[in-house]
Amino acid sequence: MMNKGQQSMASSSKTTLPLLITILVLGFLSIVAFGDNNYGPTNPLLYCSDDFADQLEARKFNVSGCKKLRTLDAEFAWNYSNLTTTNNSTNTTTVNGTLIEIFFRAKLRHYEGWVAWGVNPGKKPQMVGTKAIIAIKHNKGTTDVHTYDVTKETRKGCRLWPTSPSEFGLNVLDKQAWSNGTKQCTTLYAKLILPFPEYNITRLNHVWQVGDDVNGDQPLQHRVTLQNVDSTETINITSPDGQSYGQNRRFLRSVHGVLNIIGWGTLLPIGVIIARYFRVFPFIWDKVWFNIHVGFQLTGFLIGTAGWAIGLSLGRSSEYYTFHTHRTFGILIFTFSTIQMLAFRLKPKITDDYRKYWNMYHHFLGYGLLAIIVINIFKGISMLKGGVGWKWAYIGIIAFLGAIILTFEIITWLRFMLKLPAITIPPKENKTSNNPTQNKQ
C-alpha cells in the first residue's frame, strides 16, 4: 500500500499531465490565431504561386481569394461583391446576386489548345450543365474567348459551339485571355453576374478544364484522365483560400488503391509462394504450409474485395466517365479470385481420378490471375497522373517478392540438378517434460 506522500505524488502527476496538455493546446491555438497576421484574409495572394501572384499584381487585380486548384496545374483567383436592393420602407436589404471577377490560369500541353472555367447551377459540380467560358489559343498566337453551354449531347460527342448572351443564361460583362509563350500558360479573365439563389457563393459549383485540340472556335474533346475528370469542386468564394467541400472521392481512391495493392497485389502472391515452395519441393512444411497458404489467400481476398467494392462505388459516382479496361480487369480479378476461394471447399480428394486436372486448373488460373493483378495495379497507378510514389512503392514490393521467388527457384533447380532431397521443416517439439516428478501438482 502507498503512504500519504506516495498518494499525493501520484495524484499530483495525474493532474499535472492534463494541465500540461491543456497548456500546449492553448499555446498552439494562440499561435494559429495570432502568430502570423500576414497570412490569411489580409493577403490572399499567399495561397497562390509567386508567379501567378505577380501576374495579378501587375494587372492591379484586387484579389479577395486565391488558390491552387488540385488538378491540371491550374490556379484560380477571384474578387466578388454582392448586388443588393434596399427597401427603405422596411429598412431591409435583399441580395439579388453576386458580381464576380475571376482569373483562371492553366498550362497547355501544346502551343495550340484551350482552357475553360465555368459554374454549374446543379446540385453537384460536374461537366454536364456547366455554363463555361473558354479561351481558345490558335496556332497563329491569337486567343479568342467565347461562352458555351455544356449539355449531355456534348458528352455524347456532339460539337460544342459558342452560345449567344441570351442563350448562355448569365450576364457576362467582360471576358478576355492572354498567353505566356515561354511557359505555355493561358490566363482567362471574366467578369459576370451570378444570380441568387441559383448560385450560392458559399457553395459554388465550379468546373475547370484544359484541352489540346481546337477546330476554329470549337474546342475538341479533352483527354480522359483522372486529372481531367476530377477538375470540379464546390468552393466557398467568401473564404480567402477557397474552402472546398466534398473531396471524399480522392480519399476513397487512395483507400481503393491501398487495399488493392495490399490484398490483391501483395498477400495473394505471398500465398502462392508458400504453396509453391513449401509444399513438396525444395522445402516440405507438412500440414503447416496449407494453413498459412489459406490464411494469406483468404486475408488477401477479403482486403482486395473491400478495395474492389470501393472501386465500383467510385465508378458509379463518375456518371459520364468510365475507365473500361481498369473496370473490366477488376471484375475479372474478383471473379477469378472467388473461384479460387471456392476451391478450398470444393477441392477433390487425392484419390479422385480428376484431381490432377483440378490441380492444373487451380495453378494456371492462379498464375494468370497474378498477371492480371499486376497489370491492373499499374494501370490504376498510371490513371492517377501524379502517383509516382505509388508506382515506385509497388515496384519495390514486386522487386522484393521477385527476389524471394528467384532465390527459391535457384535453390529448387540446384537441388533438382544435384538430385538432393527436399528439406523437411520439422514441427515444433512439445516442450512438456516427460519426467513424472516434474508433473506432480
Side-chain angles (χ1 to χ4, degrees):
M1 295 180 63
M2 292 187 299
N3 55 33
K4 293 182 179 181
Q6 291 175 329
Q7 290 178 351
S8 61
M9 290 176 62
S11 61
S12 63
S13 63
K14 290 179 181 179
T15 57
T16 302
L17 183 58
L19 179 61
L20 180 60
I21 294 175
T22 303
I23 293 173
L24 291 175
V25 171
L26 292 176
F28 174 75
L29 293 176
S30 64
I31 292 174
V32 172
F34 308 108
D36 188 358
N37 293 328
N38 291 328
Y39 189 81
T42 58
N43 192 2
L45 291 177
L46 292 176
Y47 294 104
C48 292
S49 67
D50 293 339
D51 183 56
F52 190 46
D54 293 341
Q55 183 180 3
L56 295 172
E57 289 179 341
R59 294 188 174 268
K60 298 180 180 180
F61 181 64
N62 185 20
V63 178
S64 61
C66 193
K67 71 180 302 184
K68 296 177 183 178
L69 299 177
R70 66 177 189 271
T71 62
L72 302 175
D73 294 325
E75 296 188 77
F76 178 53
W78 64 93
N79 185 23
Y80 75 97
S81 59
N82 289 325
L83 302 176
T84 60
T85 300
T86 302
N87 190 331
N88 295 326
S89 60
T90 59
N91 197 22
T92 58
T93 302
T94 304
V95 177
N96 300 320
T98 304
L99 176 65
I100 181 172
E101 293 180 273
I102 64 101
F103 268 85
F104 169 76
R105 188 180 75 164
K107 187 176 182 180
L108 297 176
R109 297 176 67 244
H110 307 291
Y111 190 76
E112 183 181 57
W114 55 271
V115 299
W117 178 87
V119 290
N120 194 314
K123 295 182 179 180
K124 60 181 180 179
Q126 62 182 12
M127 182 193 74
V128 174
T130 296
K131 306 292 184 179
I133 303 172
I134 301 180
I136 297 177
K137 183 182 177 184
H138 302 283
N139 275 326
K140 297 179 181 179
T142 59
T143 305
D144 298 327
V145 183
H146 302 283
T147 56
Y148 300 81
D149 193 3
V150 184
T151 63
K152 291 183 178 180
E153 286 70 25
T154 306
R155 173 66 187 90
K156 294 176 182 178
C158 294
R159 294 182 177 183
L160 185 62
W161 294 108
T163 59
S164 63
S166 59
E167 295 174 331
F168 188 60
L170 291 177
N171 187 5
V172 180
L173 306 177
D174 190 12
K175 57 183 186 298
Q176 53 184 294
W178 55 90
S179 300
N180 184 333
T182 57
K183 295 185 178 181
Q184 289 187 310
C185 290
T186 298
T187 303
L188 171 66
Y189 167 80
K191 184 177 182 181
L192 63 157
I193 297 175
L194 300 178
F196 184 83
E198 188 177 7
Y199 295 92
N200 181 2
I201 61 173
T202 61
R203 298 187 70 91
L204 182 66
N205 298 326
H206 80 127
V207 179
W208 63 96
Q209 197 55 261
V210 174
D212 300 328
D213 302 310
V214 298
N215 181 17
D217 291 336
Q218 177 193 357
L220 301 181
Q221 175 67 43
H222 58 75
R223 302 172 71 209
V224 184
T225 67
L226 284 182
Q227 289 279 309
N228 297 91
V229 174
D230 278 351
S231 296
T232 66
E233 70 177 353
T234 301
I235 186 176
N236 178 8
I237 67 170
T238 64
S239 172
D241 62 343
Q243 179 188 5
S244 57
Y245 306 93
Q247 303 303 320
N248 58 332
R249 280 196 304 176
R250 295 187 69 194
F251 174 74
L252 288 178
R253 283 200 183 99
S254 299
V255 175
H256 166 72
V258 169
L259 292 179
N260 286 342
I261 288 175
I262 293 175
W264 304 134
T266 304
L267 296 181
L268 289 189
I270 292 176
V272 173
I273 291 173
I274 295 296
R276 177 171 174 79
Y277 299 107
F278 290 85
R279 183 173 62 91
V280 177
F281 197 85
F283 306 100
I284 298 177
W285 202 358
D286 195 20
K287 296 182 180 179
V288 178
W289 75 268
F290 182 75
N291 294 331
I292 297 177
H293 170 67
V294 171
F296 272 103
Q297 299 299 84
L298 183 59
T299 305
F301 173 76
L302 294 176
I303 295 175
T305 299
W308 175 76
I310 293 175
L312 289 182
S313 175
L314 289 170
R316 285 196 297 269
S317 66
S318 180
E319 184 178 357
Y320 298 101
Y321 295 101
T322 302
F323 299 95
H324 295 284
T325 305
H326 186 66
R327 181 175 180 269
T328 302
F329 279 3
I331 294 174
L332 288 177
I333 290 170
F334 173 75
T335 303
F336 292 159
S337 297
T338 303
I339 294 174
Q340 292 290 76
M341 293 303 110
L342 291 175
F344 295 138
R345 301 291 299 175
L346 304 178
K347 182 174 65 173
K349 297 180 180 179
I350 298 178
T351 56
D352 291 338
D353 295 334
Y354 59 92
R355 174 63 181 262
K356 61 180 180 179
Y357 301 108
W358 181 92
N359 286 337
M360 292 174 59
Y361 123 77
H362 186 65
H363 293 164
F364 284 114
L365 182 61
Y367 294 139
L369 177 61
L370 291 183
I372 297 175
I373 287 172
V374 173
I375 292 172
N376 206 35
I377 286 177
F378 279 114
K379 189 167 187 64
I381 292 174
S382 67
M383 287 163 52
L384 291 175
K385 296 299 179 183
V388 179
W390 290 64
K391 178 180 178 181
W392 286 109
Y394 191 59
I395 288 176
I397 294 173
I398 293 296
F400 177 73
L401 296 177
I404 294 175
I405 293 172
L406 181 61
T407 301
F408 284 159
E409 282 294 323
I410 292 174
I411 295 174
T412 299
W413 283 101
L414 284 177
R415 300 191 69 83
F416 176 76
M417 297 298 292
L418 298 176
K419 298 182 179 179
L420 298 176
I423 299 175
T424 302
I425 302 176
K428 292 183 179 180
E429 296 182 359
N430 187 2
K431 296 183 179 180
T432 304
S433 175
N434 295 322
N435 190 348
T437 61
Q438 296 180 359
N439 293 331
K440 292 182 178 180
Q441 299 293 329

